[in-house]
Amino acid sequence: MRVLIERRLTPSRSARYWVPVLSLVLALLSGSVLLAAAGANPWITYKAMFIGAFGGKYAISETLVKAIPLMLCGLGVSIAFRMLFYNIGAEGQLAMGGFAAAGVALFLPQWIPGLPGWSLIPLMTLAGFIAGALWGMVPAVLKAFLGANEVITTLMMNYIAIFWVEYLWYGPWKDPKGYGFPGTAQFPKEAWLPRWPGTRVHLGLVFGLVAALLLWVILSKTKWGYEIRVMGENPRAARYAGINLVRNTLFVMVLSGGLAGLAGMAEVGGISRRLQTGLTVGYGFTAIIVAWLAKLNPWAVILVAVLLAGLLVGGDQIQITMGLPAAVGLILQGLILFFMLGGVLLTEYRVRLVREGVGSRVGVPDSGGGAA
């Protein structure tokens, strides 16, 4: 008896809708078991997490604050995944975007006396996008011309970027008036992203929504989007159709890395208003979960980013009010992804138990095999 996994010729359309719901339910049930084992009441814990994330103006605003980098990084990761380029480097691209934006805010007014204050935010936005794009271009070039595995190169480049920005805020960019604390000097007020009154929600939210609209238009309304979809569904067919794989790989990674870099710019310009610890806290890695749960749909990325941000904020809330570890939110994220990927596997493939006949060749199932 052997187990075979075969791709379904006609995947169920209805499964696309009930699989995510069932995955969420199973994740919550599994999380309940873990909470009960830790001595916590699952119902009370989940209720406290929901109220902490969505139970008022302050809670919702803090959830949106954490959702902004998840939106931008998730959108960047999803466009790369669309053409089967596994960009695991959004965390590093975010870091480089924050680095470039901080450099513009801190030093450009000194280098260009008389620079209009209104120009700082547009220049920071451009610098953050370009820095993230260039950082994403490196593994794209290695993949396109040398065949290097992008999972390895993007992952390794994360740590280069993270340690680079840490070197800056601990070393040459450290604020001499900061009483020894790591971090740069505060940006001039002209470089602060506008916030909604009474909240920390900043202009980065608009960046995320506009980026989602842009990606939706590209993927569904343009020839380039069609080429990206074909490359993702069948790279061999794309090559035979005359689609330039190298050019598209480079362009997509410019957009992917640029969006993650924009997330870094939004974090330093809208939240910390300086380059300091707290920039690289895993948003780029969580964005991979966001992209997969959203099934690479730009509008779904926005929704999933808000939901996962709610788990993070809710996890902080139960740590404060109930004494439970904030990692409960991260555990739930992992469980949701685990069940979602399992559901996708069963939707796209079927599992068969095959019994080999007495006289059959090894590895060739007889006609008695049945579907399971």
Side-chain angles (χ1 to χ4, degrees), residues 34 56 111 124 151 207 283 316:
L34 294 176
W111 297 339
M124 289 169 61
V151 174
F207 293 165
Y283 290 128
D316 293 337

Side-chain angles (χ1 to χ4, degrees), residues 141-190:
V141 170
L142 294 176
K143 170 77 171 183
F145 295 102
L146 300 178
N149 187 302
E150 73 274 14
V151 174
I152 296 175
T153 54
T154 53
L155 184 62
M156 292 175 64
M157 290 187 67
N158 283 330
Y159 300 101
I160 298 173
I162 291 170
F163 290 136
W164 167 247
V165 295
E166 287 186 359
Y167 162 73
L168 291 176
W169 69 56
Y170 278 106
W173 285 12
K174 185 176 179 180
D175 183 9
K177 300 179 181 179
Y179 301 100
F181 290 99
T184 68
Q186 192 174 67
F187 298 164
K189 290 188 176 182
E190 293 82 2

Side-chain angles (χ1 to χ4, degrees), residues 79-163:
I79 187 69
F81 285 1
R82 275 276 185 169
M83 64 166 199
L84 299 183
F85 189 102
Y86 296 106
N87 178 17
I88 314 298
E91 187 79 358
Q93 293 148 18
L94 178 150
M96 295 305 290
F99 147 70
V104 168
L106 291 171
F107 304 114
L108 200 60
Q110 302 175 19
W111 297 339
I112 308 178
L115 182 73
W118 60 263
S119 67
L120 277 180
I121 289 178
L123 291 174
M124 289 169 61
T125 303
L126 183 61
F129 185 91
I130 292 175
L134 292 176
W135 207 247
M137 276 282 288
V138 175
V141 170
L142 294 176
K143 170 77 171 183
F145 295 102
L146 300 178
N149 187 302
E150 73 274 14
V151 174
I152 296 175
T153 54
T154 53
L155 184 62
M156 292 175 64
M157 290 187 67
N158 283 330
Y159 300 101
I160 298 173
I162 291 170
F163 290 136

Side-chain angles (χ1 to χ4, degrees), residues 13 23 143 226 273 300-301 352:
R13 291 186 177 181
S23 300
K143 170 77 171 183
Y226 171 76
R273 294 167 173 171
V301 165
R352 297 184 61 211

Side-chain angles (χ1 to χ4, degrees), residues 20-353:
V21 176
L22 182 60
S23 300
L24 178 61
V25 171
L26 291 174
L28 293 175
L29 290 175
S30 300
S32 298
V33 174
L34 294 176
L35 289 171
N41 185 307
W43 169 252
I44 294 177
T45 303
Y46 287 150
K47 182 179 178 181
M49 290 181 69
F50 181 82
I51 293 175
F54 302 104
K57 177 182 177 181
Y58 176 77
I60 294 173
S61 68
E62 287 302 299
T63 297
L64 290 177
V65 166
K66 287 189 179 294
I68 290 169
L70 293 180
M71 289 178 190
L72 290 166
C73 289
L75 290 167
V77 166
S78 67
I79 187 69
F81 285 1
R82 275 276 185 169
M83 64 166 199
L84 299 183
F85 189 102
Y86 296 106
N87 178 17
I88 314 298
E91 187 79 358
Q93 293 148 18
L94 178 150
M96 295 305 290
F99 147 70
V104 168
L106 291 171
F107 304 114
L108 200 60
Q110 302 175 19
W111 297 339
I112 308 178
L115 182 73
W118 60 263
S119 67
L120 277 180
I121 289 178
L123 291 174
M124 289 169 61
T125 303
L126 183 61
F129 185 91
I130 292 175
L134 292 176
W135 207 247
M137 276 282 288
V138 175
V141 170
L142 294 176
K143 170 77 171 183
F145 295 102
L146 300 178
N149 187 302
E150 73 274 14
V151 174
I152 296 175
T153 54
T154 53
L155 184 62
M156 292 175 64
M157 290 187 67
N158 283 330
Y159 300 101
I160 298 173
I162 291 170
F163 290 136
W164 167 247
V165 295
E166 287 186 359
Y167 162 73
L168 291 176
W169 69 56
Y170 278 106
W173 285 12
K174 185 176 179 180
D175 183 9
K177 300 179 181 179
Y179 301 100
F181 290 99
T184 68
Q186 192 174 67
F187 298 164
K189 290 188 176 182
E190 293 82 2
W192 295 3
L193 288 184
R195 292 180 178 178
W196 270 255
T199 73
R200 296 199 304 157
V201 181
H202 52 80
L203 191 61
L205 180 61
V206 176
F207 293 165
L209 296 175
V210 171
L213 176 62
L214 175 65
L215 289 191
W216 177 77
V217 170
I218 289 174
L219 291 172
S220 61
K221 304 295 183 181
T222 67
K223 177 184 176 183
W224 185 35
Y226 171 76
E227 293 179 351
I228 292 172
R229 296 199 307 273
V230 172
M231 288 175 62
E233 293 170 2
N234 194 328
R236 182 176 298 178
R239 186 178 292 108
Y240 288 150
I243 295 175
N244 191 320
L245 271 63
V246 172
R247 182 190 63 193
N248 280 311
T249 298
L250 297 179
F251 283 179
V252 165
M253 280 307 295
V254 165
L255 183 56
S256 177
L259 288 174
L262 200 59
M265 176 270 171
E267 284 296 287
V268 299
I271 300 299
S272 61
R273 294 167 173 171
R274 68 178 75 217
L275 187 66
Q276 64 178 16
T277 55
L279 174 61
T280 53
V281 291
Y283 290 128
F285 296 116
T286 305
I288 299 170
I289 302 178
V290 171
W292 277 117
L293 293 182
K295 295 189 175 180
L296 312 184
N297 181 295
W299 295 119
V301 165
I302 301 297
L303 176 61
V304 174
V306 173
L307 294 177
L308 290 191
L311 287 179
L312 296 176
V313 175
D316 293 337
Q317 180 66 24
I318 62 173
Q319 183 179 36
I320 296 170
T321 60
M322 302 178 63
L324 291 172
V328 169
L330 298 177
I331 293 173
L332 288 176
Q333 282 186 13
L335 288 172
I336 292 171
L337 179 64
F338 174 79
F339 284 107
M340 176 66 76
L341 293 180
V344 171
L345 177 66
L346 294 178
T347 302
E348 301 278 340
Y349 298 85
R350 66 174 180 170
V351 180
R352 297 184 61 211
L353 298 178

